[in-house]
Amino acid sequence: MKGDSFYAQAMGIRHRCYMLFCALCEAMERLWRGKFYFPLLLGITLSAVVFHQAVLGVSVMLVITACMFLFCPDILAGMSSICVMTLLATEHYTDMGAFLPCLPLALVAAVSLVAHLLVWPLELRIGRSCRGLLLVSAAAAMSGMGAISQAQALKPMSLYYSLGLGVMLLGVYLLTRAQMAKEGGEEMLRRFAGIFYTMGLCAAGVILWAYIENWDPAAAIHVAPDLRWRNFVTTVLLTTLPVPFAFAIKHKAHLLSAAVLTASLTVTGSRMGLLLGAVELLLCCCYLVRWGVISKKLMRKILLLGAGAVLLLSPLILTVALGGRTGENDFHGSNMIRLQLLARSVEDFLHYPLFGIGLSNPANADLYPVVEGSMVFYHNLPAQVMGSMGMLGIVAYGVLIHDRVSLLRSGHNAWSNMLGLCYLGMLMVSMVNPGEFCPFPNAVMMTMAFAAVEEAVGDPVLTLAQLNTGWYRIWIGPWEPALRK
């Protein structure tokens, strides 16, 4: 009898735990699908920036991430908080060691992700983006073979880049693609775009607060704050700028957010932000005309007003472009270094043509002073691939970019066009700055974006059951006939 009583009590406790778990899952899913989740992330991030509590802010975001992974069926809920919290790195941009106290919470979030996959298993699906990621994974892991020592290759920062640009991105793609195939629909794409939207607004808020804290009325027009992280934030802004334009198709009020992001780009003190931002803004205006948000007549008037504003502000724009606005950047000096790095990439490729000198090789540190936690960048995507990854890298990134472009061309709708503009922004950034060679958040953002593009255009995917008929089907083309068999 006692045994029966103990069993009954155990079953009662189990039932209550299960009901509590279900209630928490329902609450977290309601929060994720509601209107307040992204404003919550935005509020936490900006509060941490304003009160200079970046470490506390990251800790809170990691707790939210762990809770979302544990109790929300949609894995994107946890991934969104991870992406947004990267903007808190600006406070300790040159001293990332300040975030080491957050490591235990990061481990908890990782365990929560494993638990999520056990509770809500995903059916892996492989789409067109996978082939390039597999090749990039191999190229990143093999980069520098014969050029760097084993000790150098196994350093934590070396592994961060060699694994982060390959295996990690492949894992992010598989998880994101599986979740998107499970959810599907425009509402899923809208929530995914909300991640980029929130990151863009966070970046704008960080820049605004930097100006408020460093405001000098006498020098405000001619001297911008010396923001060591301006290129990172500019990259985020250029990548996320098209998103409000997509939301404006249904609600034109989102154009106010687009104006905020555009204004933020112009005051970062970054030449890249001025030039590339102008190009991307023009393309976003064409996007509005393409999807009927504004008429061609109105667009012509807006372009004329914009051209007039550029002429009026041309002296100030020229000052920024020549690098004198922060009082530190020398236009000719910085560009000479970039030219020298391009020349070095050719030399490195000729010396190590197969695998390059390696992503973590410090050989070019005499030209580019390394910030803690970064590799020695050539500041140009083709040069980076050629110099650090050799011929294998050229083939891998060639296939990756080819597949991504063909994917964008395979279907035309508002979401895929918007994500294509985001990718164009990242590619333009990568011509003058690290861009896609920063594993987190830049490369992760693009990997997730193309998982969303595959869903938006209805691109065929292979399931594990289909893959059992032969792995060769991943590599052959054209894709659609092979995938539809």
Side-chain angles (χ1 to χ4, degrees):
M1 296 296 292
K2 287 185 177 181
D4 293 340
S5 176
F6 176 79
Y7 178 77
Q9 291 178 357
M11 292 302 295
I13 293 173
R14 177 187 175 187
H15 178 72
R16 286 192 291 271
C17 289
Y18 175 75
M19 295 304 294
L20 176 61
F21 177 79
C22 291
L24 289 172
C25 290
E26 184 179 350
M28 289 297 177
E29 187 171 15
R30 190 163 55 246
L31 174 62
W32 162 242
R33 296 181 182 277
K35 298 180 179 180
F36 300 106
Y37 183 61
F38 288 119
L40 173 65
L41 299 183
L42 178 64
I44 292 172
T45 303
L46 295 184
S47 297
V49 169
V50 170
F51 295 105
H52 296 286
Q53 295 293 330
V55 176
L56 177 60
V58 168
S59 300
V60 173
M61 295 291 267
L62 286 172
V63 170
I64 293 175
T65 301
C67 291
M68 283 297 178
F69 279 151
L70 277 175
F71 302 114
C72 184
D74 194 334
I75 203 170
L76 290 178
M79 296 176 73
S80 61
S81 54
I82 295 176
C83 290
V84 173
M85 76 179 182
T86 56
L87 273 302
L88 292 172
T90 54
E91 184 175 341
H92 300 285
Y93 191 67
T94 58
D95 181 25
M96 292 298 177
F99 293 102
L100 286 177
C102 302
L103 188 58
L105 288 174
L107 294 176
V108 171
V111 173
S112 300
L113 174 59
V114 175
H116 177 102
L117 296 176
L118 293 175
V119 176
W120 295 285
L122 295 171
E123 181 184 7
L124 296 185
R125 293 173 179 266
I126 295 177
R128 200 180 314 195
S129 302
C130 187
R131 178 172 62 170
L133 289 173
L134 283 170
L135 287 173
V136 169
S137 298
M142 299 173 69
S143 68
M145 287 182 62
I148 58 175
S149 65
Q150 184 177 4
Q152 176 68 32
L154 294 178
K155 287 183 177 180
M157 277 300 103
S158 300
L159 293 174
Y160 169 66
Y161 284 99
S162 61
L163 298 180
L165 288 172
V167 175
M168 182 185 75
L169 296 185
L170 187 60
V172 168
Y173 167 78
L174 292 175
L175 291 177
T176 308
R177 188 67 186 91
Q179 183 64 57
M180 289 181 176
K182 182 179 179 181
E183 292 287 321
E186 183 174 330
E187 182 58 29
M188 181 278 301
L189 292 169
R190 182 178 295 274
R191 288 201 305 275
F192 170 75
I195 302 174
F196 279 33
Y197 203 153
T198 308
M199 291 184 69
L201 292 177
C202 283
V206 168
I207 293 172
L208 173 62
W209 187 248
Y211 268 83
I212 292 174
E213 286 198 314
N214 298 278
W215 182 253
D216 182 359
I221 297 178
H222 303 289
V223 180
D226 183 18
L227 309 175
R228 294 293 303 273
W229 39 261
R230 62 179 173 271
N231 285 335
F232 165 59
V233 173
T234 300
T235 299
V236 174
L237 286 170
L238 283 169
T239 309
T240 58
L241 177 62
V243 181
F245 290 90
F247 280 86
I249 294 176
K250 288 193 174 181
H251 301 286
K252 293 184 180 179
H254 289 284
L255 291 176
L256 294 175
S257 297
V260 170
L261 299 190
T262 303
S264 301
L265 270 173
T266 63
V267 297
T268 58
S270 168
R271 299 190 297 269
M272 171 183 71
L274 277 176
L275 177 61
L276 302 183
V279 173
E280 190 164 35
L281 182 62
L282 179 61
L283 293 174
C284 288
C285 290
C286 295
Y287 175 90
L288 292 179
V289 175
R290 166 66 180 83
W291 293 103
V293 179
I294 57 177
S295 64
K296 293 182 179 180
K297 183 177 180 180
L298 178 58
M299 178 52 61
R300 284 194 290 267
K301 293 180 179 179
I302 293 175
L303 292 177
L304 287 174
L305 289 174
V310 169
L311 289 175
L312 289 174
L313 297 175
S314 57
L316 178 59
I317 294 172
L318 185 62
T319 301
V320 177
L322 293 177
R325 195 173 180 203
T326 62
E328 183 177 319
N329 297 324
D330 175 57
F331 176 78
H332 301 289
S334 63
N335 282 277
M336 281 302 297
I337 292 175
R338 291 179 187 273
L339 291 175
Q340 290 172 350
L341 285 170
L342 289 176
R344 284 279 182 91
S345 71
V346 176
E347 294 177 11
D348 295 338
F349 175 73
L350 293 176
H351 286 128
Y352 300 96
L354 291 180
F355 306 113
I357 67 168
L359 293 169
S360 57
N361 197 321
N364 297 314
D366 58 320
L367 294 178
Y368 176 69
V370 180
V371 177
E372 181 185 357
S374 69
M375 64 178 170
V376 181
F377 288 107
Y378 293 96
H379 284 270
N380 179 270
L381 177 61
Q384 190 72 50
V385 173
M386 181 172 60
S388 63
M389 305 174 78
M391 187 61 68
L392 181 57
I394 293 173
V395 173
Y397 274 91
V399 171
L400 180 70
I401 294 175
H402 170 270
D403 287 350
R404 286 178 171 181
V405 172
S406 65
L407 180 62
L408 290 169
R409 294 178 60 188
S410 65
H412 295 287
N413 59 56
W415 293 110
S416 64
N417 288 173
M418 177 270 290
L419 291 168
L421 288 175
C422 292
Y423 184 52
L424 179 61
M426 181 62 77
L427 283 182
M428 290 193 298
V429 168
S430 300
M431 295 300 118
V432 292
N433 269 295
E436 269 211 278
F437 267 83
C438 287
F440 186 69
N442 298 356
V444 167
M445 290 171 65
M446 289 300 97
T447 301
M448 295 172 64
F450 275 93
V453 171
E454 289 182 1
E455 183 65 27
V457 303
D459 198 60
V461 294
L462 289 170
T463 64
L464 287 178
Q466 291 171 316
L467 286 175
N468 287 333
T469 61
W471 281 91
Y472 68 92
R473 297 177 66 187
I474 302 176
W475 307 95
I476 60 176
W479 275 68
E480 278 80 356
L483 289 170
R484 287 172 180 165
K485 288 181 180 179

